[in-house]
Amino acid sequence: MRRRRRATAAGLAVVAAALAVGGAQARVSRGAAPPAPKPAAAVVRLVSAPVRIADAATVRLLRPGDRVDVVAAERTGPPRVVAAGARVSEVPEPEKGLADGGALVVLSVPRDTARALVGAGAVARLAVTLC
């Protein structure tokens, strides 16, 4: 039964694709203007943003390639997500002699998000959650 459904779905997908291509060719052959190409998506440039996370033990759980949400906890107001789904690019060795100073992690994020992280780190304690 499942094989029949899959085969039917695959057949319908092939027919739909053929009709879509055939319909576009028919419009072009009748003298209609071809569809205008879609503009390319804007390229998002990622930058490396070093971020000090308040809980050093949490940072030790992270590995390059992990995805995290960065949350800013201020004294006034509820916590807010500053960066969602940021990729961990590096976890530097912990600094010696810093007790309760948190730990550094380097995230790969868009430039605007990096600015938001810097601003939030100056006024709030930052935490991460694994995605």
Side-chain angles (χ1 to χ4, degrees), residues 1-14:
M1 183 79 155
R2 284 186 180 168
R3 289 184 184 175
R4 284 186 187 171
R5 285 188 212 159
R6 288 183 183 166
T8 303
L12 288 174
V14 169

PDB file of all heavy atoms in Angstrom, residues 1-14:
ATOM      1  N   MET A   1       0.824  -1.183   0.000  1.00  0.00           N
ATOM      2  CA  MET A   1       0.000   0.000   0.000  1.00  0.00           C
ATOM      3  C   MET A   1       0.878   1.259   0.000  1.00  0.00           C
ATOM      4  O   MET A   1       0.614   2.184  -0.743  1.00  0.00           O
ATOM      5  CB  MET A   1      -0.909  -0.052   1.241  1.00  0.00           C
ATOM      6  CG  MET A   1      -1.858   1.067   1.316  1.00  0.00           C
ATOM      7  SD  MET A   1      -3.230   0.761   0.229  1.00  0.00           S
ATOM      8  CE  MET A   1      -4.460   1.724   0.984  1.00  0.00           C
ATOM      9  N   ARG A   2       1.905   1.259   0.869  1.00  0.00           N
ATOM     10  CA  ARG A   2       2.783   2.425   0.929  1.00  0.00           C
ATOM     11  C   ARG A   2       3.536   2.612  -0.380  1.00  0.00           C
ATOM     12  O   ARG A   2       3.763   3.722  -0.819  1.00  0.00           O
ATOM     13  CB  ARG A   2       3.781   2.287   2.072  1.00  0.00           C
ATOM     14  CG  ARG A   2       3.193   2.534   3.407  1.00  0.00           C
ATOM     15  CD  ARG A   2       4.266   2.523   4.452  1.00  0.00           C
ATOM     16  NE  ARG A   2       3.697   2.771   5.757  1.00  0.00           N
ATOM     17  CZ  ARG A   2       4.331   2.604   6.883  1.00  0.00           C
ATOM     18  NH1 ARG A   2       5.566   2.177   6.877  1.00  0.00           N
ATOM     19  NH2 ARG A   2       3.755   2.859   8.027  1.00  0.00           N
ATOM     20  N   ARG A   3       3.943   1.508  -0.975  1.00  0.00           N
ATOM     21  CA  ARG A   3       4.682   1.606  -2.240  1.00  0.00           C
ATOM     22  C   ARG A   3       3.813   2.216  -3.327  1.00  0.00           C
ATOM     23  O   ARG A   3       4.295   2.988  -4.142  1.00  0.00           O
ATOM     24  CB  ARG A   3       5.193   0.236  -2.662  1.00  0.00           C
ATOM     25  CG  ARG A   3       6.316  -0.255  -1.803  1.00  0.00           C
ATOM     26  CD  ARG A   3       6.854  -1.548  -2.295  1.00  0.00           C
ATOM     27  NE  ARG A   3       7.878  -2.040  -1.377  1.00  0.00           N
ATOM     28  CZ  ARG A   3       8.467  -3.199  -1.485  1.00  0.00           C
ATOM     29  NH1 ARG A   3       8.155  -4.006  -2.475  1.00  0.00           N
ATOM     30  NH2 ARG A   3       9.372  -3.574  -0.604  1.00  0.00           N
ATOM     31  N   ARG A   4       2.539   1.861  -3.336  1.00  0.00           N
ATOM     32  CA  ARG A   4       1.634   2.435  -4.333  1.00  0.00           C
ATOM     33  C   ARG A   4       1.490   3.935  -4.131  1.00  0.00           C
ATOM     34  O   ARG A   4       1.487   4.699  -5.084  1.00  0.00           O
ATOM     35  CB  ARG A   4       0.267   1.770  -4.249  1.00  0.00           C
ATOM     36  CG  ARG A   4       0.236   0.406  -4.856  1.00  0.00           C
ATOM     37  CD  ARG A   4      -1.172  -0.121  -4.875  1.00  0.00           C
ATOM     38  NE  ARG A   4      -1.188  -1.505  -5.310  1.00  0.00           N
ATOM     39  CZ  ARG A   4      -2.231  -2.270  -5.265  1.00  0.00           C
ATOM     40  NH1 ARG A   4      -3.382  -1.794  -4.781  1.00  0.00           N
ATOM     41  NH2 ARG A   4      -2.175  -3.509  -5.673  1.00  0.00           N
ATOM     42  N   ARG A   5       1.365   4.358  -2.859  1.00  0.00           N
ATOM     43  CA  ARG A   5       1.250   5.797  -2.571  1.00  0.00           C
ATOM     44  C   ARG A   5       2.503   6.536  -3.003  1.00  0.00           C
ATOM     45  O   ARG A   5       2.425   7.603  -3.597  1.00  0.00           O
ATOM     46  CB  ARG A   5       1.005   6.023  -1.084  1.00  0.00           C
ATOM     47  CG  ARG A   5      -0.380   5.691  -0.644  1.00  0.00           C
ATOM     48  CD  ARG A   5      -0.581   6.126   0.782  1.00  0.00           C
ATOM     49  NE  ARG A   5      -1.499   5.214   1.436  1.00  0.00           N
ATOM     50  CZ  ARG A   5      -1.609   5.049   2.713  1.00  0.00           C
ATOM     51  NH1 ARG A   5      -0.854   5.740   3.524  1.00  0.00           N
ATOM     52  NH2 ARG A   5      -2.473   4.209   3.227  1.00  0.00           N
ATOM     53  N   ARG A   6       3.632   5.966  -2.674  1.00  0.00           N
ATOM     54  CA  ARG A   6       4.899   6.609  -3.061  1.00  0.00           C
ATOM     55  C   ARG A   6       5.047   6.675  -4.569  1.00  0.00           C
ATOM     56  O   ARG A   6       5.465   7.685  -5.122  1.00  0.00           O
ATOM     57  CB  ARG A   6       6.084   5.873  -2.443  1.00  0.00           C
ATOM     58  CG  ARG A   6       6.214   6.078  -0.966  1.00  0.00           C
ATOM     59  CD  ARG A   6       7.423   5.382  -0.439  1.00  0.00           C
ATOM     60  NE  ARG A   6       7.494   5.523   1.017  1.00  0.00           N
ATOM     61  CZ  ARG A   6       8.276   4.821   1.786  1.00  0.00           C
ATOM     62  NH1 ARG A   6       9.076   3.915   1.260  1.00  0.00           N
ATOM     63  NH2 ARG A   6       8.291   5.011   3.086  1.00  0.00           N
ATOM     64  N   ALA A   7       4.714   5.575  -5.236  1.00  0.00           N
ATOM     65  CA  ALA A   7       4.813   5.555  -6.695  1.00  0.00           C
ATOM     66  C   ALA A   7       3.851   6.559  -7.317  1.00  0.00           C
ATOM     67  O   ALA A   7       4.206   7.277  -8.265  1.00  0.00           O
ATOM     68  CB  ALA A   7       4.530   4.145  -7.220  1.00  0.00           C
ATOM     69  N   THR A   8       2.651   6.635  -6.769  1.00  0.00           N
ATOM     70  CA  THR A   8       1.672   7.601  -7.270  1.00  0.00           C
ATOM     71  C   THR A   8       2.154   9.029  -7.036  1.00  0.00           C
ATOM     72  O   THR A   8       2.066   9.881  -7.923  1.00  0.00           O
ATOM     73  CB  THR A   8       0.306   7.385  -6.583  1.00  0.00           C
ATOM     74  OG1 THR A   8      -0.106   6.034  -6.801  1.00  0.00           O
ATOM     75  CG2 THR A   8      -0.738   8.328  -7.134  1.00  0.00           C
ATOM     76  N   ALA A   9       2.674   9.291  -5.848  1.00  0.00           N
ATOM     77  CA  ALA A   9       3.180  10.638  -5.548  1.00  0.00           C
ATOM     78  C   ALA A   9       4.340  10.989  -6.456  1.00  0.00           C
ATOM     79  O   ALA A   9       4.425  12.114  -6.972  1.00  0.00           O
ATOM     80  CB  ALA A   9       3.596  10.721  -4.084  1.00  0.00           C
ATOM     81  N   ALA A  10       5.248  10.048  -6.681  1.00  0.00           N
ATOM     82  CA  ALA A  10       6.390  10.314  -7.561  1.00  0.00           C
ATOM     83  C   ALA A  10       5.912  10.558  -8.988  1.00  0.00           C
ATOM     84  O   ALA A  10       6.395  11.463  -9.678  1.00  0.00           O
ATOM     85  CB  ALA A  10       7.365   9.147  -7.516  1.00  0.00           C
ATOM     86  N   GLY A  11       4.937   9.775  -9.435  1.00  0.00           N
ATOM     87  CA  GLY A  11       4.401   9.968 -10.787  1.00  0.00           C
ATOM     88  C   GLY A  11       3.737  11.328 -10.940  1.00  0.00           C
ATOM     89  O   GLY A  11       3.924  12.003 -11.955  1.00  0.00           O
ATOM     90  N   LEU A  12       2.975  11.731  -9.951  1.00  0.00           N
ATOM     91  CA  LEU A  12       2.330  13.043 -10.004  1.00  0.00           C
ATOM     92  C   LEU A  12       3.348  14.172 -10.023  1.00  0.00           C
ATOM     93  O   LEU A  12       3.179  15.172 -10.705  1.00  0.00           O
ATOM     94  CB  LEU A  12       1.365  13.200  -8.830  1.00  0.00           C
ATOM     95  CG  LEU A  12       0.072  12.380  -8.914  1.00  0.00           C
ATOM     96  CD1 LEU A  12      -0.714  12.510  -7.623  1.00  0.00           C
ATOM     97  CD2 LEU A  12      -0.765  12.822 -10.097  1.00  0.00           C
ATOM     98  N   ALA A  13       4.432  14.013  -9.264  1.00  0.00           N
ATOM     99  CA  ALA A  13       5.473  15.043  -9.246  1.00  0.00           C
ATOM    100  C   ALA A  13       6.134  15.168 -10.612  1.00  0.00           C
ATOM    101  O   ALA A  13       6.400  16.272 -11.096  1.00  0.00           O
ATOM    102  CB  ALA A  13       6.510  14.719  -8.176  1.00  0.00           C
ATOM    103  N   VAL A  14       6.393  14.037 -11.263  1.00  0.00           N
ATOM    104  CA  VAL A  14       7.011  14.061 -12.592  1.00  0.00           C
ATOM    105  C   VAL A  14       6.066  14.714 -13.601  1.00  0.00           C
ATOM    106  O   VAL A  14       6.476  15.543 -14.418  1.00  0.00           O
ATOM    107  CB  VAL A  14       7.404  12.628 -13.023  1.00  0.00           C
ATOM    108  CG1 VAL A  14       7.803  12.590 -14.484  1.00  0.00           C
ATOM    109  CG2 VAL A  14       8.528  12.103 -12.155  1.00  0.00           C
TER     110      VAL A  14
END
